[in-house]
Amino acid sequence: MADSSFDIVSKVERQEVDNALNQAAKEISQRYDFKNVGASISWSGEKILMEANSEERVKAILDVFETKLVKRGISLKALDAGEPQLSGKEYKIFASIEEGISQENAKKVAKIIRDEGPKGVKAQVQGDELRVSSKSRDDLQAVQALLKGKDFDFALQYVNYR
């Protein structure tokens, strides 16, 4: 019998981020506390740009955006937001969406699987994802439960379960 396997990835659906950004922009344009403060949120290349005329307002924009991401099922661990920066008369926050598991993070996850997971489970790093394989599907589900119980500083999804 062939081994069963699944891949551990850290991906974010770009369309969902876009939807969350559009919802946040709509709320910001309609809310009373954002009137006349130059509040805006938009894509700036691959980054998300939030602008307002005070540090508190720009942090509030970030909070609105984070709320919309959570409602759309996107982990906040994928959002990498910088600190507010003064640019002329406006404060700006640049945020980016982190995707892919770095080599050192993949090695950490593989080590946890080796040390704490069921015996006979193999984990291989493949680019920016991790392939976990075993003869037993129950062992693979145990690995998923083990990893869900851990608190990583990056988002994990499980795909290609075969």
Side-chain angles (χ1 to χ4, degrees):
M1 186 169 142
D3 282 2
S4 299
S5 69
F6 68 90
D7 294 334
I8 300 173
V9 296
S10 182
K11 288 191 170 44
V12 174
E13 204 170 311
R14 171 97 177 181
Q15 185 61 49
E16 290 296 329
V17 175
D18 211 30
N19 291 342
L21 185 122
N22 291 335
Q23 287 177 341
K26 185 174 182 181
E27 182 174 324
I28 288 164
S29 70
Q30 293 174 346
R31 269 182 39 182
Y32 178 75
D33 58 334
F34 287 120
K35 293 276 188 253
N36 302 322
V37 295
S40 69
I41 181 170
S42 61
W43 285 105
S44 174
E46 282 297 305
K47 292 190 178 286
I48 297 161
L49 171 64
M50 293 162 257
E51 298 177 294
N53 65 3
S54 73
E55 190 172 346
E56 293 78 33
R57 289 294 104 209
V58 79
K59 284 182 178 177
I61 294 171
L62 177 61
D63 187 50
V64 168
F65 182 55
E66 287 175 345
T67 304
K68 299 299 179 189
L69 284 175
V70 168
K71 283 185 180 172
R72 299 210 68 89
I74 298 171
S75 172
L76 292 182
K77 293 176 182 178
L79 181 70
D80 181 25
E83 288 299 310
Q85 302 166 337
L86 185 60
S87 171
K89 289 184 176 178
E90 293 208 318
Y91 283 88
K92 295 181 179 186
I93 293 180
F94 284 98
S96 61
I97 302 296
E98 299 288 318
E99 289 195 301
I101 302 174
S102 67
Q103 286 292 329
E104 63 266 7
N105 287 339
K107 287 178 183 173
K108 279 187 214 169
V109 174
K111 183 171 176 13
I112 288 172
I113 292 170
R114 261 195 325 274
D115 295 347
E116 301 177 30
K119 299 292 176 231
V121 175
K122 297 185 286 295
Q124 307 159 318
V125 177
Q126 295 181 335
D128 62 351
E129 55 185 48
L130 192 69
R131 163 91 25 105
V132 180
S133 57
S134 171
K135 292 204 181 303
S136 163
R137 287 177 172 238
D138 291 342
D139 287 351
L140 293 180
Q141 290 175 340
V143 168
Q144 284 185 0
L146 169 73
L147 295 177
K148 284 179 183 170
K150 300 286 181 191
D151 187 32
F152 296 107
D153 56 349
F154 51 95
L156 294 178
Q157 291 87 33
Y158 309 102
V159 296
N160 296 338
Y161 189 75
R162 337 187 164 109

